[in-house]
Amino acid sequence: MENQLCINLPPWVADEIGPDRAYPSDSDKMGLAVRLAAANVRHGLGGPFGAAVFEEDTGRLVAVGVNRVLEHRCSTAHAEVVALMLAHATVGHHRLDAGPAAGYVLATSAQPCAMCYGAVGWAGISRLIIGARREDVQSITGFDEGPLHPDWKNELERRGTAVVTDVLREAACDALRAYHDGGGAVY
């Protein structure tokens, strides 16, 4: 039996990225992740989540991801996982910290769920930038974010991933509200 799943990005993503655009600050990086999340809601293609991977030193965009769970009928096609998979393909290594850049940053419109939390550590991300909090996601949308270590932030930092929270939090929550108010599925 030959089964194959190809995770791809929707065509509108190219319009959100812009050619040769710089993302020097944490707000710039998060701004992209939030725009991706909001556009995913507007286009009705999945959950209200966006993520992007950048080279830490240059701010160069490496890969982006949006939630593709519903579109691909795949429970693991979260924005962070999609962005990380595409970053691995671009860098050419199963650990980003073994790639050519000094470090890689993941900006995600919402705090990673239990699955994505694990993926962040295993991917070799040097810094994680988070928009909306876990409690925002759960209270606004009703999504169950799964069990998470009570000291998750320190656990990531102990493993070499610095964590920055609440970057453009309100804008990230706006994407969550738009999804909820538009009758988005809770899965």
Side-chain angles (χ1 to χ4, degrees):
M1 175 187 295
E2 186 176 319
N3 291 323
Q4 200 172 32
L5 174 64
C6 178
I7 301 290
N8 56 26
L9 294 172
W12 57 261
V13 167
D15 297 332
E16 296 296 328
I17 295 171
D20 301 319
R21 192 161 174 192
Y23 300 91
S25 72
D26 287 356
S27 291
D28 294 329
K29 291 172 179 71
M30 183 56 64
L32 175 59
V34 169
R35 281 194 311 278
L36 291 168
N40 210 38
V41 172
R42 276 194 317 277
H43 290 279
L45 295 177
F49 306 103
V53 177
F54 305 87
E55 289 181 350
E56 187 160 27
D57 291 346
T58 66
R60 183 182 76 82
L61 180 64
V62 176
V64 299
V66 293
N67 184 281
R68 305 294 281 149
V69 169
L70 296 176
E71 182 86 359
H72 289 309
R73 297 176 306 277
C74 178
S75 64
T76 59
H78 290 200
E80 298 93 334
V81 170
V82 171
L84 291 171
M85 288 171 43
L86 294 172
H88 287 297
T90 299
V91 170
H93 203 277
H94 71 280
R95 292 269 315 176
L96 294 175
D97 54 5
Y104 292 87
V105 176
L106 173 65
T108 179
S109 64
Q111 183 177 337
C113 70
M115 175 186 68
C116 295
Y117 165 84
V120 167
W122 292 321
I125 291 293
S126 55
R127 201 155 56 89
L128 173 64
I129 306 169
I130 300 170
R133 296 178 184 178
R134 171 187 181 86
E135 55 266 25
D136 299 330
V137 173
Q138 293 180 154
S139 67
I140 295 170
T141 66
F143 280 108
D144 177 357
E145 294 297 278
L148 196 57
H149 190 284
D151 198 21
W152 65 271
K153 186 176 179 182
N154 286 329
E155 283 296 315
L156 280 177
E157 290 177 347
R158 189 173 66 76
R159 289 173 168 83
T161 303
V163 179
V164 180
T165 59
D166 295 342
V167 177
L168 301 181
R169 180 181 176 199
E170 196 53 40
C173 286
D174 287 343
L176 299 172
R177 286 185 201 95
Y179 185 77
H180 175 267
D181 294 350
V186 177
Y187 45 87

